[in-house]
Amino acid sequence: MHVQAAKTVSHILHNCRQSENSYPRSYPPKTLLPFLTPPKTPTLSFRLASAPIKTREPNTNKTKSKVSIQVRLMRFVVTKPSAGAGVAGKARLGALYLGGGGAAPPIETPALVVPTRRGLPSFISRDLLDRLPYPDSLLLHLCPIHFIVCPSTRTIKNIGGVHEMVGLQDHFFIASPGDSVESLPEHGGTNKIGAAFETPSGRRLINPKDYMDIISSTRPNLWASLADEVPAWVTEKRNRLSIDRTLKWLDDCLSLDQEKGASTLGAVVGGPNIEHRKKCATEVSMRNVSGFYLGGFGLGESIEERSALLNAVTNILPEEKIRFVSRLGLPEEVLQGVAAGIDLFDSTYIYHLTLGGFALVFPLDILGEAPEALLRNSSNDYTKINLHATIYRKDTSPIVDKCSCYTCQDHTRAYLNHLLNVHEMLAQILLEIHNTHHYLGFFRSIRRALKQEKFELFRERFMESRRVHLTEAVPYS
């Protein structure tokens, strides 16, 4: 049949060549169109458990780029100032509003900034984001360094920014340089030209101009300035140099910013030295910025040092502006940051848990349970369980009882154990849904404790239950 069809086409082409001059401008003839027109490629779409598909009308506004920048500016309001006394004296409540009269509700703080890779979580697709708690899941982290290789800044700008590129127009994107997965700050390669980052494509050096090109094309709602983040073990000379570079790069970024600092978070660095941190915080607070990015944490400092450093910085920063910290993602670290007056937390804790096959299981209603009830857990770890373990092979219970996430409502520990052991990618999808849902619930519990003015009790109970499990895990000599 195929041979006969080929001969027919060859015969028609031969006749056409002989009488080519007799054909009008509409050549080739209609008899060839069925053979020459390529078939239409079918469009495939995937959904999990009949998740609703949202559609939107195309925007025909010719001034789309200008409007999108104006309506996506964010406004922060402190709804309950810090009490100013006790262990949790600096903890406070706030709210983030999307400017321009949008329909998105305000996001209460302290809040988790959900980690993403180029605008979407590592394993959760766009269609499944609706299964996360609303509106807590609207706050997404964006790392500009991820866009160094692809897609190009021109492509992103032509699309209309990262909101249009990933189809999340109602979400809030907060950008900061570097993360703990694909863009690790490398102080050894940083120089006066720009900051160095270790990426999957090798070490990359980015200067303020290139950084601002990415910011202007992706158009995040808030973005942190480029910073020279150094670990705790560098020399004092190198630490002072990082402050000078960070302040210079902040001025360079502000000079290139079309919004003149309306959505800029000034980076505060200084390593483990309290005086250097105070100096940098004082200088940055004098700039025209809308908030502050506390950089350089989670790079080797001890828990005791971190608490003193956070308090030293927040004592200087203005109360009315938002504070954002990166790489403090463990529950204990989050509680430490909230007590120091931090509003937003960016962390890859969820990603690392999901990648390792772990699920969060610690109770969220800590104030409503008796202290001894918090210690009753089926695992040796108070916060998480390893679903790779064979003890979950026949466990037909959900990951967490009474959890309202999609994973716990429809799947069991045994099913996730099976998916992990056969290396099925659905395991990471279901785990990230649960871990993100659970950790967002942890931040809701923190805000509830702050509203009830019981944050000190909340933190004390959580740390005590965690300390007991750590003590039990240490063998006696």
Side-chain angles (χ1 to χ4, degrees), residues 432-466:
E432 190 171 40
I433 291 176
H434 168 76
N435 287 333
T436 305
H437 189 281
H438 196 84
Y439 217 40
L440 290 173
F442 174 61
F443 277 84
R444 282 198 305 274
S445 299
I446 293 176
R447 294 193 295 268
R448 190 183 308 116
L450 287 172
K451 293 176 183 178
Q452 299 174 358
E453 298 184 355
K454 295 181 179 180
F455 177 74
E456 291 188 34
L457 178 61
F458 180 92
R459 183 186 181 189
E460 179 183 347
R461 285 192 177 182
F462 185 91
M463 297 298 293
E464 181 62 27
S465 57
R466 176 65 172 157

Side-chain angles (χ1 to χ4, degrees), residues 4-18 32:
Q4 184 63 31
K7 290 182 178 180
T8 303
V9 174
S10 177
H11 178 70
I12 295 174
L13 289 173
H14 177 71
N15 293 337
C16 291
R17 292 191 190 99
Q18 290 183 346
L32 282 179

Side-chain angles (χ1 to χ4, degrees), residues 172-328:
F172 303 167
F173 281 97
I174 300 181
S176 65
D179 60 15
S180 300
V181 180
E182 288 191 357
S183 304
L184 299 171
E186 176 51 53
H187 69 282
T190 301
N191 54 38
K192 62 180 181 180
I193 299 176
F197 297 89
E198 291 289 348
T199 70
S201 58
R203 182 178 294 181
R204 296 281 179 166
L205 186 70
I206 181 169
N207 56 47
K209 183 181 182 304
D210 295 336
Y211 183 77
M212 289 305 299
D213 286 342
I214 301 176
I215 292 297
S216 62
S217 61
T218 53
R219 300 173 187 173
N221 303 98
L222 288 174
W223 56 271
S225 60
L226 191 63
D228 183 10
E229 302 182 63
V230 297
W233 55 83
V234 298
T235 62
E236 185 176 353
K237 178 180 178 181
R238 178 66 179 87
N239 201 4
R240 289 197 301 266
L241 186 60
S242 69
I243 297 175
D244 297 337
R245 289 173 177 171
T246 300
L247 294 175
K248 180 182 182 302
W249 293 343
L250 172 58
D251 294 335
D252 294 341
C253 290
L254 290 175
S255 64
L256 297 171
D257 181 24
Q258 296 180 353
E259 300 169 8
K260 304 303 179 184
S263 57
T264 306
L265 302 176
V268 178
V269 296
N273 190 298
I274 293 181
E275 295 303 321
H276 290 173
R277 287 274 178 181
K278 289 182 178 180
K279 173 186 175 183
C280 188
T282 303
E283 290 290 336
V284 174
S285 60
M286 297 171 61
R287 267 71 169 179
N288 183 27
V289 294
S290 59
F292 304 96
Y293 167 70
L294 278 64
F297 286 100
L299 296 177
E301 75 279 0
S302 64
I303 297 179
E304 294 77 12
E305 288 178 334
R306 185 184 303 138
S307 179
L309 292 171
L310 288 172
N311 286 300
V313 172
T314 53
N315 284 337
I316 296 175
L317 300 180
E319 286 285 339
E320 69 277 5
K321 295 186 178 181
I322 196 167
R323 302 154 183 178
F324 174 43
V325 71
S326 183
R327 287 185 292 275
L328 297 186

Side-chain angles (χ1 to χ4, degrees), residues 113-118 120-123 141 143 145-146 176-185 197-202 298-299 326-327 346-356 432:
V113 184
V114 179
T116 70
R117 301 169 78 175
R118 294 182 178 88
L120 287 174
S122 300
F123 304 105
H141 178 254
C143 180
I145 312 302
H146 292 175
S176 65
D179 60 15
S180 300
V181 180
E182 288 191 357
S183 304
L184 299 171
F197 297 89
E198 291 289 348
T199 70
S201 58
L299 296 177
S326 183
R327 287 185 292 275
D346 158 47
S347 166
T348 54
Y349 179 55
I350 296 174
Y351 169 79
H352 290 295
L353 283 176
T354 303
L355 200 62
E432 190 171 40

Side-chain angles (χ1 to χ4, degrees), residues 11 19 26 68 71 101:
H11 178 70
S19 56
S26 61
S68 62
V71 302

